[in-house]
Amino acid sequence: MINSNALNDYSNKIYEYLKKNDSKLLENISLQPSDFGKNHIFIELVTKNENSVSNLFLSSEDNQLTVGFDNYHCHFDSFSEQDFEEEMKIALDFFYKILNEELFVVCAGGGATTLLTNEEINIIESGKKLERFDYDCITYYVTSWSGNYDRVFKNAN
């Protein structure tokens, strides 16, 4: 159990949400120093994939919720009047879809990185473009949580 007094306000809000809605995830929690006063939350699941440059993580650093794995990360936060609970649900959905290998990190050579489903990766591999990831690069790199679905393929065009 974490002492909520050790957390900054934003991290405490995330901690309380997780405690209520996803307490199993808290088994992997650690506290890290924050630029916003007290500590922030860092939850990390260690991947067995030796090709991944980072583990799967969820962080409340800098008063924003971040989900990341390998070369990919995305921010979900309370800015711009976004609904906190909705943002938490979306962030946890991304987190678990990476963990369950429903989403894979795809890097288009020059650093453009996103999460795609296996079906979307197959579309790119066949030479077609995706509207939301239409990078025309030479090589694509796919990283999966387990490493079982990792692959590199050349642009078919």
Side-chain angles (χ1 to χ4, degrees):
M1 187 64 84
I2 297 291
N3 176 357
S4 61
N5 291 328
L7 295 171
N8 65 38
D9 290 342
Y10 184 75
S11 297
N12 201 28
K13 191 174 178 180
I14 290 171
Y15 176 70
E16 290 301 321
Y17 179 91
L18 292 173
K19 193 165 73 171
K20 179 180 175 186
N21 298 290
D22 198 345
S23 60
K24 182 134 177 76
L25 196 55
L26 295 177
E27 294 172 6
N28 300 291
I29 194 170
S30 66
L31 302 184
Q32 304 291 322
S34 174
D35 294 335
F36 293 90
K38 300 178 182 178
N39 297 311
H40 74 271
I41 291 172
F42 191 77
I43 295 172
E44 182 177 35
L45 299 182
V46 178
T47 181
K48 294 176 185 170
N49 186 344
E50 295 177 2
N51 296 318
S52 177
V53 297
S54 80
N55 293 313
L56 177 61
F57 70 88
L58 184 143
S59 168
S60 63
E61 186 175 12
D62 295 334
N63 284 351
Q64 59 187 349
L65 184 61
T66 304
V67 171
F69 174 62
D70 191 56
N71 287 320
Y72 172 85
H73 77 277
C74 188
H75 301 288
F76 306 86
D77 52 48
S78 59
F79 302 127
S80 304
E81 300 180 22
Q82 295 172 347
D83 180 80
F84 174 77
E85 290 213 6
E86 186 61 30
E87 287 294 297
M88 285 296 303
K89 288 176 187 174
I90 293 168
L92 289 172
D93 186 52
F94 273 58
F95 186 90
Y96 282 112
K97 283 184 175 178
I98 294 168
L99 184 62
N100 295 325
E101 298 191 313
E102 297 170 44
L103 288 174
F104 306 95
V105 175
V106 178
C107 181
T113 305
T114 194
L115 294 177
L116 297 176
T117 65
N118 197 44
E119 293 79 21
E120 291 170 319
I121 294 167
N122 290 338
I123 290 169
I124 294 172
E125 198 167 12
S126 75
K128 298 177 187 167
K129 290 193 177 196
L130 292 176
E131 185 176 319
R132 69 183 192 97
F133 194 67
D134 63 352
Y135 292 88
D136 191 22
C137 68
I138 296 170
T139 306
Y140 295 90
Y141 303 88
V142 178
T143 306
S144 63
W145 167 252
S146 68
N148 294 335
Y149 301 96
D150 289 9
R151 65 186 189 262
V152 176
F153 61 91
K154 300 287 182 192
N155 189 330
N157 295 321

